Amino acid sequence: MKKIEFSKDEKAEIVSRIRAYFDRELDPIGALPAEFLLDFFAEETGPYFYNRGLRDAQAALLKRMEDLAEDIHLLERESKTSGA
C-alpha cells in the first residue's frame, strides 16, 4: 500500500489541531513533536482508517447497484404488463 501523505496545507492544519488538542487536554506540544505524532499515527493507524473507508465505499456502491438492479427489474415487469 502506498504511504499516506498529506499536502503541506493539510499537514499544517492537522498539526494545528493536534497542538490545540494538547493545549486543551494535556500539556502544550511544539510543532515538530506534533508533526512526528501525525506521521506516527498516519503510518500506524492510517491503513485501518483507509481500509475502513474503502469497505464503507464498497458497501455504499453495492447498495446502490442493488437498488439500480431492482429499479431495472421493476421497469421490466412494468413494461411487460403494459403490453410494450
Side-chain angles (χ1 to χ4, degrees):
M1 183 178 111
K2 184 178 171 186
K3 182 180 175 184
I4 296 173
E5 294 184 17
F6 300 104
S7 72
K8 187 175 181 176
D9 290 341
E10 289 171 326
K11 195 167 213 175
E13 174 65 24
I14 297 168
V15 165
S16 173
R17 289 173 180 250
I18 290 171
R19 293 184 74 197
Y21 173 79
F22 270 75
D23 286 347
R24 233 182 13 259
E25 303 292 334
L26 303 166
D27 293 327
I29 186 173
L32 195 56
E35 206 170 308
F36 289 152
L37 187 61
L38 170 61
D39 291 341
F40 170 78
F41 279 117
E43 187 174 321
E44 297 296 323
T45 66
Y48 294 98
F49 286 97
Y50 180 83
N51 291 339
R52 174 62 56 93
L54 287 178
R55 284 193 301 272
D56 290 350
Q58 182 181 29
L61 181 59
L62 287 173
K63 172 72 171 111
R64 294 199 53 153
M65 293 297 292
E66 289 171 1
D67 292 345
L68 182 58
E70 187 172 324
D71 290 346
I72 291 171
H73 180 69
L74 290 173
L75 288 173
E76 287 176 353
R77 291 197 301 173
E78 185 176 303
S79 173
K80 290 178 183 177
T81 59
S82 66

